[in-house]
Structures are given as structure tokens and as C-alpha cells.
Amino acid sequence: MKKIILSMLLAAGLLGQTTVSKAQDVPLGENLVKYVNPLLGTESDFSLSNGNTYPAIALPWGMNFWTPQTGKMGDGWGYTYQAKKIRGFKQTHQPSPWINDYAAFSIFPETGKVIIDGAKRASWYSHKAEISRPDYYRAYLADYDVVTEITPTDRAARFRFTFPQSDSSRVLIDAFNMGSMVKIIPQERKIIGYCRNNHGGVPDNFHNYFVIYFDKPFTVAGTWKNNTKLSQGSTEAEGEHVGAVITFKTEKGEQVNARVASSFISPEQAELNLQREIGNDSFDQVKEKAYQAWNKQLNRIRVEGGTVDQYRTFYTALYRTMLFPRKFFELNADNEIVHYSPYNGKVEKGYMFTDNGFWDTFRAVFPFFTLMFPEHDSQVMQGLVNTYKESGWLPEWASPGHRDCMIGSNSASIIADAYMKGIRGFDIHTLYDAILKNTKGVGPVHSVGRYGADYYNKLGYIPYNVGINENAARTLEYAYDDWCIWRLANALDRPKKEIKLFAQRAMNYKNVFDPSVDFMRGRNEDGTFQSPFRPDKWGDAFTEGCSWHYTWSVFQDPAGLAKLFGSREKMAKRLDEVFTTRPTFDDSYYGIQIHEITEMLIANMGQYAHGNQPIQHATYLYNYLGQPWKAQMHVRDVMDKLYTPNPDGLCGDEDNGQTSAWYVFSAMGFYPVAPGSNQYVLGSPLFKEITLKLENGNTFTVVADKNSHKNVYIEKASLNGQTYDKNYLTHEAIEKGGEIKFEMGNQPNKTRGTQPDSFPYSFSDKK
């Protein structure tokens, strides 16, 4: 993602053991945390993304994550599987390597001579002696003969260091650059400080205040500034880049424990977070609570009838849907929900969430919240209200405040989807006002509001030749968002003139479709289409993709798109060609072969580029075209081919859980093609049985009889015992609870779901 500027160990709990799953069904069990591999996707770099993830040791949507640090300070690739040395254990808030980190500092044990420089102090380690789970991390630092263990809470963590016999066992606190402070208070076995590092989106008074307590007395080794020589005996330092070192005398195998917490509000709030979330709990007690928190949430979806590797892939994907957007709020001394505003720099009341790019997550992550975590989604909506009040705009890419990244005004999608699916508890009228403001102009950065709104509102599209990049992509996304606004305006009983306006704008996708080539295409201000034109030209009129990908970005109206092609059959033929056409490309817009292009090439799936978001829904469009068996075939093929539980187990950027949310939905057998509608379009369920434990107390079960690697086609279906011929499920049907039962086979059923009455919603049909 966001980057145009530029085998697995069973780490889920078995130290030093490589496991090859047997290709047979196995019982799931109750401990689902053991299937999660936070190392999935970490075998990535600038040139090729297999996820661009890092092992996030955290609670669901926790304010702070912890991760081992193999990269240099400030490098977006903070942990890469192929690296051989660890240089720190970092508190991180990074949502993407392309956005980078903020408010980071690290803790690192050493023995012997004090080594300050990150590269020089880095220690050899091995994945054979590494455990990585959501609730627990462990690594052995061979250069120092020290084992480091971490277990998290929302805003705090417990560390446990197992040292050798030494008079010079040490712990180093690196507060990082861009402004930091440390103060050692030996009589309290305590270190306090702050860090200010960021890559944008922060007010001038931004600080992350931290506090660390140790359970063993220590002596002061000193502090340093800017990677220079240690100032022996110094207890305080403040500057561009400072750190602190303390020393213990330890016996062989002696464990030293540390409790650490932080706050964006104040040092006092950091202390309060530590006391509230850890208090006097031991390392093992904190670890057990973290395990229980994850296991409870993972058990919300139970799958049966799969292989171990399928369980690992599924539950790791589920874990990744529960990381972002992160909590950016805290509880004050009066137990009030408060937050430091990354928009106005004040401490305000109420919820705040951050670290999310809606261009990615509107597609599946937020629809997943509406289905499985509506209370959490309501809190996020409350946070959006606060963002609007504090900044005057809705966020589109926040980290922690507004960032200039990506296109669209897809906050409209996630707000409309939440409200239309019955989620309440937030001020929808304020959010609607904010959505309307978005449609009229651009915000403080190009990604906020609507860049090119004047042209779009006047012409019905953003011209190719007026200096606004990615113009066709913006037009398509604005049209979809206008359909979301139309849906919401109807539900809120807005004026008829307003409703009509957005109904008209929802059809603006037609303005960038060229029937002479049957592709979406940049269009000039005078109405002519861009020339020359190559459907495989990445960027330019499109965003991190080409016309092969964006031609399908008509989520709200596939039936209308089919009419532009001339028929459903013609649209299906072009969709077939996505998978069969040679993966040629034109990268002249970027001047380099960006990693998304490479990821498409190596997948050997034609022009299909699942590693980036714009085309991820396209496999499901066959359900609108009378050929649902093709959706079943392609969806299962993508799951089987492009997802594994290994460090290279993703096929592009994870992007705040979107790539994983696609897998979670698809494995369940359905997908939200058009968030803002009440429908989930059918695919091919991966497991023999999937049970959803809904927040309202109901359960919904997907049963897939005879399901197997070869039996990917739906022969017939029944919903609560009644024959079911629709190519979709409604949100209401799932929420009521019940069972959809599929009979699977190895040959396509070319009669089921082929008639218009079975097709999912399209705006042109006004279903």
C-alpha cells in the first residue's frame, strides 16, 4: 500500500518446533491462540511485500503494541523475518511501513560493556528460539545470553529478562530521536521519560510519556545523548535522542521483571495506566489475562473440518482484523474516557481511534466489525464524531492525526454501513453533516475531503488533464461514496432534492467508462478520453493499479456496469480475461516497477492483483452476472494459492487488516461487495462448518457438506431448512441466527443462482 512514493515455525506457542500440517481434517480444540502466528507476513521488504507486517504483541485494538526490532530506528520495516539480529524491543504504533511509526521507544537487555549504538548492540537470535503469539513474545539474545519475554495489556506491558551470572547485567532504554527525555529514579527502581518521534499527523505538543518499574534494585550506569559516549552516573537527559542504562548484579538464570506503561496525556496518566492495567499482577498473571482476552475474541468464530494450516491461516487473519484502528483513548482518575487529541492537541472527553486508512478498510474490515463487533464499531463511530469536532474533518488516513495518503472519501462508506446495519449510540446527524462537508471540497491534506470536488460536482467526473492525479479512480470512489450518502440520506429522511442529487451522482461511474474499449479510462475536460490508452498502465488515472483493476470499482451497481458492457455475458467475458490475460504492465507513471506490480506478476493469475485492494471484490461479481460458479472457483483458488500461515503467507500489503478480512469473510463463504447495503455475496466456504457467535446472543452456522479441496462448487443450498437460490445473504438473516447449508461438489452447478431474482443488489435495479 501507500507507497507510490516510493516454513513458518509454529510460533503460535511451540518453541523451536517446525510443524508441517497433515492434509486432513483435525479437531479445532478450545485454545485458538495457539493457531495465531504474528510472524505471518514479516518476510517482506521495500521491493516485495508478503504482508509488510510485524509481530504485534498486543491486546485487541490495544493502544500500544510491542514488537522485536530488527531494523534501524525510523525504518518502516522494523521487524523482518530474514533479519539475523535484534536491536531492541519496541513499543510501536505503526500501521504500515509506508506510513511509519510514532511514539516509539525501546527496551533492550545487555551484559558486559555498555553498547549504545543500535546497530552495534544488536544481538544474534534465531527463530528456533523465538516464540511469537499475540499474548506473549520470547527471544534469546545469543550475544548476551539473555532471554527476553513480553506480555501486553492495552496501554502497558510486563517484561521478564533472564540473565546469566554477571556483575554487569544491564537494561537500556532508548527513547529514540526527534526529541526525547529520560530520568532514572533509583530509589524507586524507576525510569520515566517521553518520546516525540513521528512522521506527521501530530500537534506541536505531542508527547508519549512512559514509566518503567523494576522489581530489583539497580545502580545507575548513566544516560546518553545522540548516540555519543555514556555520561557515567548521570540520571537525567533531554535532547534530540537520549537514553538511559541501568545495571544489575545477577545470578545465573536470575529473572528481572519490568512493568512499563505509557500515556499520550501526561506522566501521571502513564502511572495510572500502569496501576490500573497491571498493578501487582505477576508476569504470568498478565500473560494469562492477555491469553484469555484473545481466546475469547477468537472463539467468536469457530471453524471445523479443516487442516491445521487452514486453522492457522484463518485465526491469524482473524487476529489481524482486531489490531486496527487502535484505541487512542485512556481512562482518567475518575474513570472517564478521555483522549489526547491528535488534531487540536488538547485533552478531550470521549473515544478516539486512529491508525487506519479507510481506502483499504472500508471494503471488508469495517463490514466485519458491523457483523461481529457492533459495539466496537459504535465506539469507532463515536470517535469519528470527536475527530470531526476537533479537526473540522472526517479522517480518511489517520496516524495519529490526518495524513496525506490515498484517495476517496470512504468515511462515508463506513458510517453508512454502520448505520444501515442498525448500529447506534453515536451522533449520526453530526456525522452526516461531516459527510456533506466532504463532498464540497478538499481538507487540510489531499486525502481528506474530496480532492477535485469542484470538477466532480460540475462535470460528474474529475478530468484527466487538469492536474489532478488518479482522476478516474477518484471519480469511481466518489460515485460509490455518493451512493452510500444516498442510502443514508433516505434513512435519515433528508430533503428530497438532496436525496435526488446523490442518487444522480451515484451514477457518475458511467462518465469514465469508454464503450469503445470496454474499460474505465481517464477523460479530459472537453469530454474526450485520454489518449494514448493502455489498460495495463498503472497509476496515472488510477491508484496503485490500472484499468484492469479499477474497471470493476462499481460496488453499488454491477448491473449498471453490465449494461455499459452491453450485456452480462460481455461483462463476464471481460472479467474472465482478468485471469487469463498476460500480466503486462506500463510503469512509466511511477518510473519504477512498484512492488504491487511485482506481486501481481509472480502470482501467475493474469491481471488479477489481489495484493492490492481495488480488485479484491471482483471475483464475487460473477454472482451478479448469472455465473456464480466462477466466483466459487476463483475465490477458493485465491484462498488456497495466495494465503498460507507462513512468514511469506500474504500476497501484498496487509493494510490494517483488509487483506486478512477478505480471507476471513471468504473462508466463511460470503463477502460484503457493497458496504452500505445489507447483503453479503456468496463465494465458496473453506470449512465444513463455521459458527458465528454474535453479540446479540444468536449464532449463525455455515455448513458445507462434502467440502474439500476439490469440492469447491455449491451444488445446492438451504437457509434454515428451506431451499435457498439467492447468491447472497442478508445482514438481518445472519443476525437472527440460524443455519445456511451448502452441499458442495467438484463440478459447477450452472443452473443454481443464474436468474436475475437470485442476483445481489444493484442500484440500477433499486432492489
Side-chain angles (χ1 to χ4, degrees), residues 461 472 475-476 508-524 527-535 542 547 550-552 554 560-566 570 574:
Y461 65 95
T475 298
L476 291 167
N508 281 343
Y509 69 87
K510 296 181 177 181
N511 296 329
V512 289
F513 185 86
D514 182 357
S516 72
V517 294
D518 284 345
F519 279 105
M520 297 294 176
R521 183 172 180 178
R523 191 172 190 178
N524 295 317
T528 61
F529 284 101
Q530 71 174 100
S531 183
F533 170 71
R534 284 184 55 169
F542 301 101
S547 190
Y550 259 96
T551 291
W552 316 108
V554 187
L561 180 60
K563 291 175 184 176
L564 295 181
F565 274 100
K570 289 181 179 179
R574 175 50 50 86

Side-chain angles (χ1 to χ4, degrees), residues 540-574:
D540 197 22
F542 301 101
T543 301
E544 295 180 5
C546 64
S547 190
W548 277 111
H549 311 138
Y550 259 96
T551 291
W552 316 108
S553 290
V554 187
F555 314 96
Q556 72 277 23
D557 197 17
L561 180 60
K563 291 175 184 176
L564 295 181
F565 274 100
S567 68
R568 294 189 182 97
E569 291 74 18
K570 289 181 179 179
M571 179 173 163
K573 183 176 183 296
R574 175 50 50 86

Side-chain angles (χ1 to χ4, degrees), residues 100-206:
N100 216 304
D101 210 349
Y102 65 91
F105 66 95
S106 74
I107 300 174
F108 190 68
E110 296 178 339
T111 55
K113 180 182 177 181
V114 175
I115 306 175
I116 294 171
D117 182 86
K120 294 178 181 177
R121 74 179 182 233
S123 171
W124 284 86
Y125 84 111
S126 170
H127 300 301
K128 298 179 179 66
E130 180 184 35
I131 300 175
S132 181
R133 298 198 310 253
D135 60 322
Y136 175 71
Y137 181 85
R138 172 183 173 128
Y140 174 65
L141 303 180
D143 289 18
Y144 305 111
D145 192 22
V146 177
V147 171
T148 298
E149 300 169 274
I150 310 170
T151 190
T153 71
D154 277 330
R155 301 167 188 86
R158 267 275 198 178
F159 276 71
R160 185 162 64 193
F161 306 104
T162 303
F163 284 104
Q165 182 176 354
S166 175
D167 292 337
S168 56
S169 293
R170 310 185 194 279
V171 174
L172 179 150
I173 311 300
D174 190 337
F176 285 19
N177 62 350
M178 302 181 70
S180 49
M181 184 275 284
V182 290
K183 183 178 181 180
I184 307 171
I185 309 172
Q187 63 272 24
E188 298 183 44
R189 303 177 184 176
K190 173 181 173 181
I191 298 175
I192 62 173
Y194 65 72
C195 55
R196 305 193 65 202
N197 54 86
N198 66 85
H199 290 81
V202 300
D204 291 340
N205 66 345
F206 172 77

